[in-house]
Amino acid sequence: MVATSLPFVETQSPAHICPYDQACNYLEWAAKELKLDAGIVEILSHPRKVVTVSIPIKMDNGEVRVFAGHRVQHSDILGPYKGGIRYHPAVTLREVSALAMLMTWKCALLGIPYGGGKGGIPIDPKKFSVGELERISRRYISELIKDIGPSVDIPAPDMGTSAREMAWMMDTYSVNVGHSVPGVVTGKPLSIGGSLGREMATGRGVMIIVRESLKDHGISLTGVRIAIQGFGNVGGAAAELLHQAGAKIIAVSSGAGGIFAEDGLDISAVKAYAAQNRRSVVGFPTAKAISNADLLTLPCDVLIPAALENQITEENVHEIKAQFIAEAANGPVTLEANQVLEARGVTVLPDILANAGGVVVSYLEWVQGLSYLFWDEERVNKEMEYLMVQAYHKVMEEAKTRRVNLRLAAYTLGVGRVAQALTDRGLYP
């Protein structure tokens, strides 16, 4: 068992499964298959740098409150740290550390010259005004000013953040260094160096991987019944693109609950409804109400968990009826549940492959920003699709060669590339 201690003390994650321990278990799983040296595994099981900062903010009512902001930098063996910043009440250092590690393997799997990073603030952004969120975002990034940069660590949007927050962060960094630095973050508005195609990128990547997997099984997207847990930036985009491709989206959900329609939902109408109801789909007319938990167990062809981690566990895995599961969220299926699903013949498309579209287009945005040469959306989507399809087929080939499931194949590719680079670079001093 690899070491899972972290160089800090904190309250355990509210989930009963520690995400950091699970991430280390995945590393150990891949390391055993790859027969990696124990020293290499020990290095890769710990983040290189963990930063926690205080964020003192004056609220709209004049009250001063202090928030905690985290940034974890797992590995820069292959290049600058890369990873999102999330605003969510459940954010913990262990969760952020786990996601930083997963980002390392994801970038390596896709052949992108990045290492893994992740950041977050444990707040519910819906409970703050725009002005308060701006002050929180700007103070957070100013506290991290020495630890980020276009060749050091490049944040991006994640759960609870968007292009708006990235614009504030890019401006704050630029003001502090004295000149405009568009490459310090990705997922920015187009007006300040963002990339066309970025908003739909993660959902588009999910659609591509689902399409390729179904194609390998001789199945067309047309008429395929799909349930999606989560209707945010990722789930909403995946629903829209899969619907446009001919799939039948029978259920979607937001934080407060979901909706179900046997004959399929009008996704354009659902998106319009959610936009008018604080991103909630609850109460959408002509659809039945359904809980997030019940959505996971609906009879469907493809299930897409696009919300939080640890949604499919050993407790509910036997109720899952889908034949394909695409992990649009990070870590929505536990290792134990994954093994049960694989034994039943369910195809699980792992998160470090299925949801990699976002980091691919973030990379393309970074390249455009560094060169000050920007592409049209068709080229961005084409470049992203090429990398996603290429990675999918490499994972399939690895799975067949090693006779392992798709998750282990993806991890052996990602972990193996980082381990090889670490071996080649050597250990300093």
Side-chain angles (χ1 to χ4, degrees):
M1 190 75 176
V2 297
T4 59
S5 60
L6 286 170
F8 46 75
V9 177
E10 67 157 5
T11 302
Q12 285 290 328
S13 168
H16 68 282
I17 300 170
C18 175
Y20 184 73
D21 288 344
Q22 180 158 294
C24 285
N25 287 340
Y26 284 140
L27 168 59
E28 179 187 25
W29 193 30
K32 184 176 180 180
E33 176 68 24
L34 292 164
K35 298 179 174 59
L36 292 183
D37 178 82
I40 295 290
V41 180
E42 180 71 9
I43 292 171
L44 296 179
S45 67
H46 292 81
R48 182 173 179 188
K49 192 171 189 178
V50 176
V51 181
T52 297
V53 298
S54 290
I55 307 171
I57 296 297
K58 182 173 286 189
M59 309 300 286
D60 290 346
N61 64 4
E63 176 189 1
V64 173
R65 293 180 61 186
V66 180
F67 304 93
H70 308 304
R71 187 69 181 175
V72 175
Q73 298 169 336
H74 175 254
S75 170
D76 64 349
I77 295 298
L78 295 178
Y81 304 104
K82 186 79 185 80
I85 292 173
R86 61 174 49 183
Y87 293 174
H88 191 277
V91 164
T92 67
L93 267 175
R94 288 184 177 274
E95 178 199 46
V96 173
S97 298
L99 295 173
M101 185 186 291
L102 293 179
M103 183 61 82
T104 297
W105 317 140
K106 185 185 299 183
C107 292
L109 173 62
L110 271 292
I112 295 172
Y114 282 147
K118 205 75 172 184
I121 304 174
I123 60 171
D124 182 351
K126 295 178 182 178
K127 296 182 178 179
F128 296 84
S129 71
V130 172
E132 289 168 343
L133 286 173
E134 180 173 359
R135 293 194 289 277
I136 290 170
S137 300
R138 287 183 179 276
R139 185 58 185 260
Y140 169 65
I141 216 68
S142 68
E143 294 291 340
L144 294 175
I145 205 79
K146 296 179 181 179
D147 297 296
I148 63 171
S151 60
V152 180
D153 185 351
I154 307 131
D158 199 276
M159 186 180 300
T161 59
S162 66
R164 180 183 67 181
E165 285 76 17
M166 294 306 107
W168 294 333
M169 293 178 185
M170 178 264 189
D171 180 68
T172 302
Y173 182 89
S174 298
V175 169
N176 274 271
V177 300
H179 58 91
S180 182
V181 187
V184 67
V185 299
T186 58
K188 305 179 296 296
L190 293 175
S191 61
I192 54 173
S195 176
L196 292 165
R198 177 62 182 85
E199 185 177 353
M200 302 283 283
T202 306
R204 186 178 298 279
V206 173
M207 182 273 290
I208 290 168
I209 297 302
V210 168
R211 183 197 67 199
E212 293 299 305
S213 182
L214 290 174
K215 187 190 301 181
D216 274 354
H217 288 81
I219 304 171
S220 167
L221 269 174
T222 304
V224 166
R225 294 167 59 81
I226 299 177
I228 303 177
Q229 184 200 45
F231 200 66
N233 293 340
V234 179
E240 182 177 352
L241 293 167
L242 287 163
H243 181 69
Q244 290 174 2
K248 184 181 291 187
I249 313 300
I250 62 168
V252 298
S253 68
S254 50
I259 53 176
F260 165 74
E262 182 68 33
D263 295 327
L265 296 162
D266 181 340
I267 296 302
S268 296
V270 175
K271 289 195 75 171
Y273 178 86
Q276 297 297 319
N277 290 274
R278 298 176 65 86
R279 301 184 180 181
S280 175
V281 301
V282 174
F284 179 75
T286 73
K288 297 178 181 179
I290 189 171
S291 70
N292 270 290
D294 288 341
L295 181 147
L296 295 172
T297 63
L298 285 173
C300 60
D301 301 306
V302 181
L303 174 62
I304 302 178
L308 294 171
E309 67 272 4
N310 299 331
Q311 296 300 297
I312 301 176
T313 69
E314 53 269 40
E315 295 178 2
N316 65 353
V317 66
H318 296 287
E319 300 177 53
I320 302 300
K321 301 177 182 66
Q323 287 303 303
F324 295 83
I325 297 176
E327 294 185 318
N330 289 308
V333 181
T334 67
L335 182 57
E336 294 78 8
N338 188 91
Q339 292 169 337
V340 173
L341 292 167
E342 292 286 350
R344 283 172 41 195
V346 177
T347 298
V348 181
L349 300 165
D351 50 5
I352 64 171
L353 172 65
N355 68 23
V359 73
V360 171
V361 177
S362 280
Y363 165 63
L364 298 177
E365 178 182 332
W366 180 67
V367 168
Q368 293 171 76
L370 292 178
S371 66
Y372 289 89
L373 180 64
F374 295 90
W375 309 335
D376 60 31
E377 188 167 359
E378 181 180 0
R379 178 175 176 183
V380 173
N381 290 341
K382 184 177 180 180
E383 296 278 357
M384 187 267 278
E385 180 159 350
Y386 171 77
L387 289 173
M388 293 294 293
V389 172
Q390 183 182 57
Y392 170 80
H393 288 297
K394 286 182 178 179
V395 169
M396 292 300 297
E397 182 180 350
E398 182 84 350
K400 291 176 183 176
T401 300
R402 291 186 177 274
R403 297 182 180 180
V404 298
N405 61 36
L406 297 184
R407 187 183 303 281
L408 183 51
Y411 273 85
T412 55
L413 285 171
V415 172
R417 288 172 180 171
V418 178
Q420 184 61 55
L422 180 57
T423 301
D424 291 340
R425 287 182 56 165
L427 184 61
Y428 176 84

